[in-house]
Amino acid sequence: KKSYTSKLLNDKKMNVEKVKEEVKELIEAIQKNDNQVHEAADVLYHLLVLLEGSGVKIEDVMQELKKRQNGI
């Protein structure tokens, strides 16, 4: 049986839909001031899987964030 992560990696459309769903749930959690950490973790997990499946390296994302932090 395939893991959930494997299913997401093999079905980009499903993963995109999950990212959208999880972002919506995070926004609702923030507005209600309830369960924000759990929902944020869900967003990050699904986003990381989507990036991995799309060939985007987290190291490149982190480098971009460092550039922005340093005002480059």
Side-chain angles (χ1 to χ4, degrees):
K1 184 178 177 182
K2 282 187 175 182
S3 71
Y4 180 62
T5 301
S6 292
K7 289 178 185 177
L8 291 172
L9 287 169
N10 290 311
D11 188 343
K12 195 173 202 175
K13 183 178 178 183
M14 180 175 86
N15 198 3
V16 168
E17 291 305 314
K18 284 300 294 181
V19 170
K20 290 177 184 179
E21 174 187 326
E22 296 300 342
V23 167
K24 182 180 176 186
E25 290 176 8
L26 175 58
I27 291 167
E28 290 171 1
I30 290 169
Q31 290 171 336
K32 294 177 182 177
N33 196 28
D34 180 49
N35 214 21
Q36 301 101 319
V37 173
H38 176 86
E39 296 301 340
D42 284 349
V43 169
L44 290 174
Y45 164 76
H46 287 91
L47 181 58
L48 288 170
V49 174
L50 180 61
L51 292 172
E52 176 69 25
S54 300
V56 178
K57 295 180 181 177
I58 189 64
E59 295 85 1
D60 293 339
V61 174
M62 297 306 293
Q63 185 63 36
E64 178 63 25
L65 290 172
K66 283 181 184 178
K67 287 180 189 176
R68 293 178 186 195
Q69 180 182 13
N70 295 330
I72 296 174

